[in-house]
Amino acid sequence: SIVSPLLRTGYHFQPPMNWINDPNGPMYYKGWYHLFYQYNPKGAVWGNIVWAHSVSRDLINWIALEAAIKPDIPSDQYGCWSGSATILPDGTPAIVYTGIDRPDINYQVQNIAFPKDKSDPLLREWVKPGYNPIIVPEPGMNVTQFRDPTTAWFADGHWRMLIGGLRDTRGMAYVYRSRDFRHWVRAKHPLHSALTGMWECPDFFPVPKSGQNGLDTSEFGDKVKYVLKSSLDLTRYDYYTIGTYNNKTERYVPDDPNGDYHRLRYDYGNFYASKTFFDPAKRRRVLLGWANESDSVPDDKAKGWAGIHAIPRKIWLDPSGKQLLQWPIEEVEQLRGKPVSVGDKVVKSGEHFEVTGLGSYQADVEVSFEVSSLDKAEPFDPAFSNDAQKLCGIKGADEKGGVGPFGLWVLASANLEEKTAVFFRVFKDGYGKHVVLMCTDPTKSSLSPDLYKPTFAGFVDTDISSGKISLRSLIDRSVVESFGARGKTCILSRVYPSIAIGQNAHLYVFNNGEADIKVSHLTAWEMKKPLMNGA
Ligand code: FRU
């Protein structure tokens, strides 16, 4: 098939060409944000992995530099895989990453690198000390599943970092300790583990119990909770729990005893191998994540690129303490053009209206809905309590409901042959409590064949008794990145329209529920293109 260059994203992070995956080693250094990422310099499929490097003043406009870490020592000659940066007390950034040192099996070791010149704010050159590797798997460990070191934290005279692993079918967050950041010893027990399969790209960080500020990874105390995230190889989603950490016993305990299996996610869509960092300039914790293509591999090769990163998100603890909240960093708003607004508009059952006056192929849309009455909410079948995605697969955007489906049709063609629906549907459980489902339904997103078009969904833990709920969608040509109820539930989806591209993309509000809804306010902005790595 023919892939349109108009499907290339405008303001989501990507290099000019080739394959990218995980964000690596994000940090703030001497006024610059640094982002490294898994990159194939030779093509649009995974392989030949190096750490590509970009820098930014605002996490939105990016300048590409030379790759920072490339295979050139025995312990990384077959690949420089994911890892993290830690700023040491004297201000020196250290990168620890996974190296592949054999061609046949993926034998995974951990290496360290330092800037050649600490006075260079762009940190252009990195050197690998001769004492690498710093950590190798011990006999009996699964050497092919031992990778992705975290940012280290310091307490009681010791550094600690996590390495993701697998023991039989148990996902492991191994703890390694060091006094000097050079000699590392594994703690007897993992920080945490669960019967989930391999834990890729673990992330572990403190969050204040209240407020939206972030904390440095080494801060702790009684005003702090902890978050442990793992990327599950088996499902390709990023799951987290919230809990407590004891640096004497070196254990983390999730607050919810079933937390490891309840499976809170950062994002219920296409978002994987994410990593957070503490931004001292704005005292916030920022989440970066990778979204792969859901187009076919031949199309990826024809396009010459594959993979993007989500818009960086600020994350903090919800006042309930039960989940995190996420919101696109405020810097993205500098890309907004002239606002287009709609207010107080009723959308009756079965109706829709178009939002015009902007190029909605590259847009930011914020909308507040108000449901006229919740009486018509459909009964909730508890069989779906743990499977929002399945529920949404059955009750897609075109499936009429009581309260909802209502929401946005984005990247829609003028005649609605193509459209991606982002919507809510409200149910009522056996105790009279409302259950809110948020979905992205891409099943009608494109007339092109051979596309993977999974429906994504998550529940929204919000009180809808007032009838009010908000939605924000960042639309970017082949990306729809949505935030329900001010960041309670997030869904990123990749779509590849064949008609609804460029100026032929339209934006609508729809209501396929019996109950009328009102758009209290809607504001949409066409988004400008930032500097994007020279492309
Ligand atoms: C996650 C991952 C990591 C690994 C890297 C290799 O997407 O598989 O576990 O370090 O990608 O590119």
Side-chain angles (χ1 to χ4, degrees), residues 18-24 36-53 67-73 75-83 97-101 106 111 128 147-148 290 306:
N18 295 334
W19 166 275
I20 83 166
N21 56 294
D22 318 357
N24 291 150
F36 307 85
Y37 55 96
Q38 298 279 286
Y39 178 64
N40 181 354
K42 296 185 184 152
V45 295
W46 185 88
N48 316 304
I49 294 294
V50 304
W51 277 43
H53 185 192
I69 300 179
K70 297 181 286 245
D72 60 7
I73 57 171
S75 58
D76 71 10
Q77 56 183 312
Y78 295 102
C80 298
W81 289 15
S82 284
Y97 66 99
T98 299
I100 306 299
D101 74 351
N106 288 334
N111 297 309
K128 303 168 187 173
R147 58 180 177 270
D148 307 339
W290 163 51

Side-chain angles (χ1 to χ4, degrees), residues 81 98 106 108 110 142-149 163-174 193-202 229-239 263 272:
W81 289 15
T98 299
N106 288 334
Q108 295 164 1
Q110 320 308 324
N142 186 335
V143 299
T144 65
Q145 308 286 351
F146 180 63
R147 58 180 177 270
D148 307 339
I163 298 176
L166 181 69
R167 199 176 66 205
D168 302 323
T169 56
R170 187 172 275 279
M172 308 286 283
Y174 291 114
S193 71
L195 291 167
T196 56
M198 170 65 183
W199 284 2
E200 296 189 313
C201 303
K229 181 278 285 188
S230 54
S231 301
L232 282 200
D233 199 14
L234 288 177
T235 63
R236 311 297 292 175
Y237 294 120
D238 279 11
Y239 300 91
R263 310 191 141 196
Y272 192 66

Side-chain angles (χ1 to χ4, degrees), residues 110-278:
Q110 320 308 324
N111 297 309
I112 194 164
F114 294 102
K116 188 166 178 190
D117 174 8
K118 281 198 294 173
S119 71
D120 173 16
L122 300 184
L123 299 171
R124 274 171 282 215
E125 283 184 84
W126 290 78
V127 289
K128 303 168 187 173
Y131 56 76
N132 274 306
I134 53 168
I135 298 172
V136 299
E138 294 154 60
M141 280 170 87
N142 186 335
V143 299
T144 65
Q145 308 286 351
F146 180 63
R147 58 180 177 270
D148 307 339
T150 64
T151 296
W153 66 99
F154 189 80
D156 292 339
H158 279 100
W159 288 99
R160 287 109 164 133
M161 69 182 168
L162 302 181
I163 298 176
L166 181 69
R167 199 176 66 205
D168 302 323
T169 56
R170 187 172 275 279
M172 308 286 283
Y174 291 114
V175 180
Y176 280 78
R177 298 207 298 175
S178 174
R179 283 191 181 279
D180 58 5
F181 225 85
R182 170 172 172 175
H183 301 95
W184 294 85
V185 175
R186 184 171 63 81
K188 188 155 168 243
H189 299 289
L191 183 85
H192 193 57
S193 71
L195 291 167
T196 56
M198 170 65 183
W199 284 2
E200 296 189 313
C201 303
D203 195 14
F204 184 58
F205 55 89
V207 283
K209 284 182 184 163
S210 66
Q212 297 191 9
N213 279 353
L215 293 169
D216 185 82
T217 313
S218 291
E219 288 180 72
F220 52 96
D222 47 348
K223 295 203 167 57
V224 166
K225 300 290 302 183
Y226 280 83
V227 176
L228 178 62
K229 181 278 285 188
S230 54
S231 301
L232 282 200
D233 199 14
L234 288 177
T235 63
R236 311 297 292 175
Y237 294 120
D238 279 11
Y239 300 91
Y240 70 91
T241 55
I242 296 162
T244 51
Y245 163 61
N246 181 328
N247 65 29
K248 304 281 180 301
T249 58
E250 217 71 88
R251 297 282 193 137
Y252 165 82
V253 181
D255 291 347
D256 174 353
N258 292 314
D260 294 312
Y261 309 102
H262 257 226
R263 310 191 141 196
L264 274 173
R265 287 191 217 159
Y266 283 154
D267 192 295
Y268 292 83
N270 181 339
F271 184 93
Y272 192 66
S274 67
K275 193 178 292 297
T276 63
F277 75 104
F278 174 64

